[in-house]
């Protein structure tokens, strides 16, 4: 098939590359000329495990191309994917301007039947709006399909190549056949392609992300109550996760969820509900809990230093909103760093992939190290904000030698309490007793 992907970010680049990997000819479009230049010269602008191998192979074999011209891409393709941003607008509802502006342009460009597929996360009713925007200028037939994306950053390639399910919202038999053919190679193990109407498909994505965010906020509240009741959240987590109705995954407490999806999608579903007169009470709380959870470790740090952080050197391990990505959108690390800087602390940070993105925002307000040990030199405390694997088993002898004080504030519960006690650390984590 001949496919164009409009918007070459985390979702667009991974989708385009994986579609090319199954033999399709793909052209990715972006308005960011710099990004297109980079991609054309073989440089991948994001960090995503496994993407480089597929990218290189498909570019080399001529199945994956890049352009900044929407018309050039659309003229050569039958299937057009929209992987455009849908950031929160002023009131928190999804800003559809990127999607609708491109839809308007598509109406003028298309000269024969096309299937236009919305892969961006969009509120219920967007397929109708996209159809109307294209229809305004279009002189030919087309179908608009809703195909929300469920990939996780850090596992995006794996998730795309072997999805748990593919959701396709369409009322067109013609589009349905094309979508089924496109996705068949990705579900050979028997995972379902689930067809439904456009509105249900659009809501499925928000429901999935909101449910997962709810699970995280619920566990964070259990952690907070564990601290007050002197219970251990790790034990509680294992105790409840063994119940198959609950499941083991997504039960890890910490300093809240971040990223470009959960925060904005929870907000957008709250706003969409409000617009139709429904008060989504649970989600209001999920959001509220997450906002306070992001900085829940700051009072512990302040308390330890007698409310005076002025001149204290805090080493930070982990800046990305989660491991295995360079994405720092809504990362809890940023909220914590902002508060610590405001209190006069000095920050010295390390992240395996996200430092360039953080540097672009903080400039010289914080220092960076080339590895996780370098930032510990003369540090008054270590804060762990992201659970990268490389932080799980550090050389504690080296850590002790480098730090001024043996104090760790762990927002991701990486270490065993007994071990930290025997190593002589003051260790503060989430939902467990301080040692
Ligand atoms: N990132 C994720 O993990 C993820 C997962 C599932 C769904 N989604 C959804 O997918 C959508 C895209 O997310 P993302 O993380 O890939 O965003 P992103 O910001 O990484 O990428 C969007 C890209 O679109 C480009 N763009 C903007 N306007 C354009 C235009 N007019 N023409 C061409 N390109 C244009 C931007 O330059 C950018 O490169 C969002 O709706 C998001 O909610 C994201």
């Amino acid at each position: 098939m001949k496919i164009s992907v409009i918007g070459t970010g985390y979702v667009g680049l991974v989708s385009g590359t994986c579609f090319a990997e199954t033999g399709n000819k793909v052209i990715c479009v972006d308005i960011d000329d710099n990004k297109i230049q980079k991609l054309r010269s073989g440089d991948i602008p994001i960090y995503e495990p496994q993407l480089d191998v597929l990218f290189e192979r498909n570019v080399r074999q001529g199945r994956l191309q890049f352009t900044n011209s929407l018309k050039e891409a659309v003229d050569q393709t039958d299937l057009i994917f929209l992987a455009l941003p849908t950031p929160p607008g002023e009131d928190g509802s999804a800003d559809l301007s990127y999607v609708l502006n491109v839809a308007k342009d598509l109406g003028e460009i298309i000269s024969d039947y096309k299937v236009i597929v919305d892969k961006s996360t969009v509120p219920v009713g967007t397929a109708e709006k996209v159809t109307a925007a294209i229809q305004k200028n279009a002189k030919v037939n087309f179908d608009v399909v809703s195909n929300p994306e469920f990939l996780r950053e850090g596992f995006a390639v794996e998730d795309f190549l072997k999805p748990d399910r593919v959701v396709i919202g369409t009322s067109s038999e013609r589009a349905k056949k094309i979508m089924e053919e496109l996705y068949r190679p990705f579900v050979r193990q028997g995972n379902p392609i689930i067809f439904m109407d456009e509105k249900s498909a659009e809501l499925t994505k928000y429901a999935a992300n909101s449910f997962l965010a709810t699970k995280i906020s619920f566990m964070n509240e259990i952690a907070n109550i564990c601290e007050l009741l002197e219970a251990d959240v790790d034990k509680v987590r294992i105790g409840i996760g063994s119940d198959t109705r609950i499941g083991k995954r997504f039960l890890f407490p910490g300093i809240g969820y971040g990223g470009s999806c959960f925060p904005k999608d929870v907000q957008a579903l709250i706003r969409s509900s409000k617009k139709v007169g429904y008060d989504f009470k649970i989600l209001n709380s999920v959001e509220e809990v997450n906002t306070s959870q992001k900085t829940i470790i700051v009072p512990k740090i302040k308390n330890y230093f007698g409310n005076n952080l002025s001149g204290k050197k805090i080493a930070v391990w982990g800046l990305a909103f989660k491991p295995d990505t360079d994405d720092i959108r809504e990362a809890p690390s940023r909220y914590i760093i902002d508060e610590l800087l405001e209190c006069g602390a000095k920050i010295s940070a390390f992240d395996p992939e996200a430092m360039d993105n953080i540097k672009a925002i903080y400039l010289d307000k914080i220092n960076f190290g080339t590895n996780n040990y370098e930032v510990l030199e003369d540090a008054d405390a270590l804060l762990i904000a992201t659970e990268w694997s490389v932080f799980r088993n550090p050389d504690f002898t080296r850590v002790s030698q480098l730090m001024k004080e043996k104090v760790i504030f762990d927002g991701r519960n990486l270490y065993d309490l007994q071990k930290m006690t025997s190593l002589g650390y003051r260790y503060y984590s989430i939902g467990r007793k301080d040692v």
Side-chain angles (χ1 to χ4, degrees), residues 410-427:
D410 182 356
R412 301 296 178 184
N413 288 4
L414 297 192
Y415 309 128
D416 181 67
L417 295 183
Q418 264 178 356
K419 182 174 176 181
M420 297 317 282
T421 312
S422 67
L423 288 171
Y425 277 85
R426 299 295 299 272
Y427 179 63

Side-chain angles (χ1 to χ4, degrees), residues 204-248:
T204 298
K205 174 66 190 177
Y206 282 107
N209 273 1
S210 297
F211 185 78
L212 293 169
T214 304
K215 219 171 163 185
I216 295 173
S217 276
F218 178 82
M219 264 328 272
N220 284 336
E221 292 229 270
I222 293 288
N224 296 342
I225 199 74
C226 276
E227 288 184 16
L228 295 172
L229 298 175
E230 295 176 9
D232 184 330
V233 74
D234 266 355
K235 309 269 164 32
V236 177
R237 174 177 62 75
I238 293 164
I240 64 171
S242 312
D243 184 330
T244 51
R245 292 171 302 175
I246 295 173
K248 294 183 176 62

Side-chain angles (χ1 to χ4, degrees), residues 318-349:
L319 299 165
F321 83 94
K322 65 173 190 175
D324 293 311
T325 180
D326 61 349
D327 197 341
I328 56 158
R329 291 178 281 188
E330 292 295 315
S333 66
R334 291 169 60 183
Y335 289 82
I336 301 172
I337 288 173
D338 287 346
E339 286 205 9
L340 295 177
L341 287 174
E342 210 160 284
C343 296
K346 288 189 205 143
I347 303 294
S348 172

Side-chain angles (χ1 to χ4, degrees), residues 319 349-360 368-371:
L319 299 165
F350 172 75
D351 186 283
E353 294 294 339
M355 286 198 292
D356 286 347
N357 289 337
I358 287 281
K359 266 182 208 166
F368 298 92
T370 51
N371 62 56

Side-chain angles (χ1 to χ4, degrees), residues 6-12 29-32 35 46 70 83-87 98 101-102 119-122 149-153 205 209 260-261 264-265 327 329:
I6 322 300
T8 313
Y10 285 88
V11 169
V29 184
D30 209 285
I31 41 161
D32 183 341
K35 193 176 261 190
I46 55 167
L70 182 65
L84 293 157
T86 48
Y98 296 87
N101 284 337
V102 168
K119 217 170 213 339
S120 297
T121 302
V122 291
E149 180 50 56
F150 297 95
L151 63 77
R152 297 162 298 166
E153 283 177 24
K205 174 66 190 177
N209 273 1
S260 67
C261 293
K264 89 169 166 60
D265 293 350
D327 197 341
R329 291 178 281 188

Side-chain angles (χ1 to χ4, degrees), residues 13 62 164 194 232 281 337 388 412:
L13 183 58
D164 287 342
I194 306 167
D232 184 330
K281 295 188 194 68
I337 288 173
W388 283 91
R412 301 296 178 184

